[in-house]
Amino acid sequence: MCNPTNKRSSGAVKRHQLAKEDMWIEDLNLDGFGAEMKALGEKLQKQQGKEDAVHLRKIVNWSRAFTVLGLLTMWMYPNPFTVLMISLGYFTRWTMIAHHTCHGGYENVDTTNVGGPTVYKRFKFAWGSLYRRCVDWMDWMQPEAWDMEHNRTHHYKLGEDEDPDLVERNLENLRSSSAPVWLKYMMVAFFMATWKWFYYAPNTYKQLKYAELRRDGKLTAKIKSQKDIILTFKSLFIGDIDWISPTEFLLRIAGPMIAYNFIIIPLPVYFLLGYRCYCYALINLVLADIVTNIHGFIAIVTNHAGDDLYRFETDCRANTPTFFLRAVISSANFSCGTDFVDLWHGWLNYQIEHHAWPHLSMRSYQKAQPLCQAICKKYGVPYVKENVIWRLKKTVDIMIGASKMRRWPEGVVDESRFRTHS
C-alpha cells in the first residue's frame, strides 16, 4: 500500500476514529492515484479509432436484429421469444448505443460506415426534433431531459445529496416506513416493473425544465426550493410541483412514446392480420415494456447502491483525484469481459470505468477494466465487482431500509483543493 502524500485538513478524523472498513483511507495516496487514473483515461481516448467504429456497428446490428425479430413475431399469441426480443431491442438501444453516444463516446471516431458521419455523435443522436427521437432512440425519457439529469448532473454529483439517482435518499420514505417487510418488497417489485415511466421520465424532465427556467431567468424562490424534490408520475398528477403540468409532460415526454410504441407500431398488424392479431401485438408490446423495465432496473439501479459503497457530504470538481476516487468507491461493476456477457448487462457492468471516464466507447471500457482495477489494487482503493444478482440484493436492502450506505469520513485526506466550493 502506498504512503500518503496528502496533508490532512483541519479537524481531520483520527485513525482510531475510522471504522474498520474505512481504514484504507488513512494510507491513501490520493494525488498518485488521481494522476494514474487521469493518464489512463487520456491514453484510452487517444487509442480510439476504426476498431471502435467496427465494434459499434456490431452492437447496432445486434440491437436492430432483436427489434426486427420481435416486431416480425409480435402478431403471434403472446410468447416469451417475442417479448424478449422487443425488450432487448429497447434495452440495448438505450443502455449501449444511446448511452455511450450521448456521452460523446464516439466523438473522435469516424462512424461513417455505421450510420453516417454525424448520427452517432453527441447533441446529434436523437436530439433536436421528434423525428430524430423516433429514428434514433424512442423511449420514455426525452433524450435532452435524460442528458440533463444523467450526463450533466448524476455523473458530476455522484453519491452527493444533489445526485438525482441516489437510491438511499430517493427511497427514504420507504426506508423509514413502518410498513411490513413483505409490503415493502411488493412496492419494490412494482417500482422495478414501472420505473422508467413512473419515476425516470418525469424526474429527468423536471431536471430539464429547471435548467430551461434558469436559462430564461424565470426561477422563483419556490421553484428553487423544489429543485431536489423527486418527481414521479403520481406526484406529477397530484401537483406536488406546480411548475410542471401533467399535460405538458404527456405532450412533450410520455405522449410520443405511447403513440409510437403502442399505437403506430402495432397498427399495421390490425390492417394486415385483423383485430385479434392486433391485440396479441399490443399485449406483447406491453409485456416487453414491463420486462425491459425490470431488466433495466437490475442493470442500472444497482450500479450505485449497497452497504459497501460511499455517500459524500461535499462536492468535487470533474477530473480531479477526488472525482476519480468517487467514481470507484461509489460504483459497482458486474461480471464482464466479452461482448455476449456485456450485452446482457447493457455495458453497465463497467460502471466504475464509465464514471471515471464518461466519454469513452464501449470497446474502450473493456480495455480499461483490468487496468483500472490494477491501479485500485496498487493504491489500496476498494474495487467492487460482483454478480449483478448479488448487487440487486444489496440494492433492495438499501431500498427497504435493511442496510445503509457508507458515509465518507471527511478530513482523513485533504480534498479541499478539488472541491467546487471551498
Side-chain angles (χ1 to χ4, degrees):
M1 190 173 292
C2 299
N3 292 324
T5 62
N6 294 298
K7 296 179 180 179
R8 296 180 193 165
S9 61
S10 58
V13 176
K14 296 180 180 179
R15 185 181 181 93
H16 72 270
Q17 294 175 320
L18 288 173
K20 182 178 180 181
E21 62 269 19
D22 298 332
M23 294 296 289
W24 63 272
I25 304 171
E26 177 73 14
D27 298 315
L28 174 64
N29 178 354
L30 183 59
D31 288 334
F33 172 78
E36 290 203 34
M37 290 288 286
K38 184 176 181 179
L40 177 57
E42 292 172 349
K43 177 181 178 181
L44 290 164
Q45 187 172 33
K46 290 178 181 178
Q47 291 176 346
Q48 293 192 170
K50 182 179 179 180
E51 292 182 353
D52 296 272
V54 172
H55 184 262
L56 174 62
R57 181 171 61 187
K58 173 184 176 180
I59 299 303
V60 169
N61 288 339
W62 282 5
S63 180
R64 288 173 176 170
F66 295 140
T67 300
V68 170
L69 287 171
L71 295 183
L72 288 178
T73 59
M74 67 179 177
W75 59 273
M76 298 179 179
Y77 189 83
N79 63 92
F81 176 81
T82 298
V83 170
L84 179 61
M85 290 299 102
I86 296 174
S87 171
L88 280 175
Y90 276 112
F91 177 76
T92 55
R93 194 67 179 171
W94 173 27
T95 63
M96 294 158 61
I97 301 169
H99 186 194
H100 298 94
T101 298
C102 293
H103 267 294
Y106 298 93
E107 294 299 289
N108 66 333
V109 175
D110 183 0
T111 58
T112 301
N113 294 329
V114 183
T118 62
V119 173
Y120 296 98
K121 305 298 181 183
R122 190 177 186 186
F123 307 126
K124 298 289 185 181
F125 185 86
W127 272 63
S129 68
L130 181 58
Y131 170 76
R132 290 259 45 110
R133 185 179 174 188
C134 291
V135 170
D136 294 333
W137 171 41
M138 174 58 72
D139 212 319
W140 287 106
M141 305 78 63
Q142 184 187 33
E144 292 88 343
W146 179 76
D147 175 80
M148 182 60 64
E149 191 270 0
H150 177 81
N151 295 359
R152 305 190 192 198
T153 308
H154 165 64
H155 265 266
Y156 297 98
K157 297 292 183 181
L158 180 63
E160 301 173 20
D161 284 339
E162 292 185 41
D163 181 356
D165 295 334
L166 187 58
V167 173
E168 187 176 55
R169 187 213 50 228
N170 291 352
L171 275 296
E172 183 56 41
N173 287 340
L174 180 62
R175 286 172 51 80
S176 59
S177 170
S178 59
V181 174
W182 67 265
L183 182 57
K184 289 187 177 184
Y185 279 121
M186 291 290 290
M187 295 175 71
V188 170
F190 169 81
F191 187 69
M192 289 178 66
T194 62
W195 73 283
K196 286 173 67 177
W197 61 264
F198 185 81
Y199 154 72
Y200 213 35
N203 206 53
T204 54
Y205 183 54
K206 185 207 72 177
Q207 294 281 340
L208 178 64
K209 183 71 174 181
Y210 186 90
E212 291 174 341
L213 292 171
R214 180 177 56 198
R215 178 197 62 199
D216 297 336
K218 296 181 179 179
L219 289 181
T220 64
K222 180 180 180 181
I223 293 175
K224 290 179 181 178
S225 69
Q226 296 177 328
K227 177 178 179 291
D228 296 323
I229 294 178
I230 302 302
L231 184 65
T232 65
F233 192 80
K234 176 184 176 181
S235 59
L236 175 69
F237 281 86
I238 292 176
D240 287 353
I241 298 180
D242 57 13
W243 40 280
I244 299 179
S245 71
T247 301
E248 175 185 9
F249 170 76
L250 289 173
L251 289 176
R252 190 173 174 183
I253 308 299
M257 175 61 176
I258 295 171
Y260 178 89
N261 198 50
F262 302 109
I263 299 176
I264 296 174
I265 286 181
L267 199 59
V269 175
Y270 176 80
F271 290 111
L272 294 174
L273 301 175
Y275 179 72
R276 175 175 293 183
C277 289
Y278 169 79
C279 290
Y280 290 163
L282 193 58
I283 293 172
N284 277 318
L285 288 167
V286 171
L287 291 175
D289 188 71
I290 294 173
V291 171
T292 203
N293 265 276
I294 295 172
H295 192 178
F297 181 97
I298 294 172
I300 297 170
V301 180
T302 54
N303 288 148
H304 306 291
D307 59 3
D308 49 0
L309 302 181
Y310 285 87
R311 285 183 61 173
F312 312 97
E313 296 180 359
T314 57
D315 58 17
C316 72
R317 300 196 311 276
N319 301 319
T320 60
T322 294
F323 177 85
F324 293 123
L325 179 67
R326 292 183 178 188
V328 177
I329 64 174
S330 194
S331 306
N333 277 14
F334 313 137
S335 303
C336 59
T338 68
D339 285 349
F340 182 77
V341 170
D342 297 344
L343 179 146
W344 288 98
H345 293 87
W347 246 263
L348 295 155
N349 44 345
Y350 298 99
Q351 199 65 193
I352 290 173
E353 292 74 25
H354 176 58
H355 268 266
W357 314 290
H359 53 279
L360 296 181
S361 68
M362 286 180 277
R363 182 173 172 273
S364 289
Y365 291 125
Q366 290 178 327
K367 295 163 59 179
Q369 190 276 322
L371 302 174
C372 178
Q373 188 171 11
I375 292 174
C376 292
K377 183 178 181 180
K378 175 180 177 181
Y379 287 90
V381 175
Y383 185 100
V384 178
K385 180 174 176 286
E386 295 181 317
N387 182 276
V388 68
I389 302 303
W390 183 246
R391 296 310 306 182
L392 173 63
K393 191 266 183 189
K394 283 179 172 285
T395 299
V396 174
D397 284 346
I398 292 291
M399 296 176 73
I400 66 173
S403 65
K404 62 181 180 179
M405 296 183 68
R406 296 180 184 177
R407 266 52 178 180
W408 176 256
E410 298 291 338
V412 181
V413 292
D414 183 7
E415 303 174 274
S416 60
R417 298 163 292 156
F418 310 130
R419 290 175 184 161
T420 304
H421 305 96
S422 59

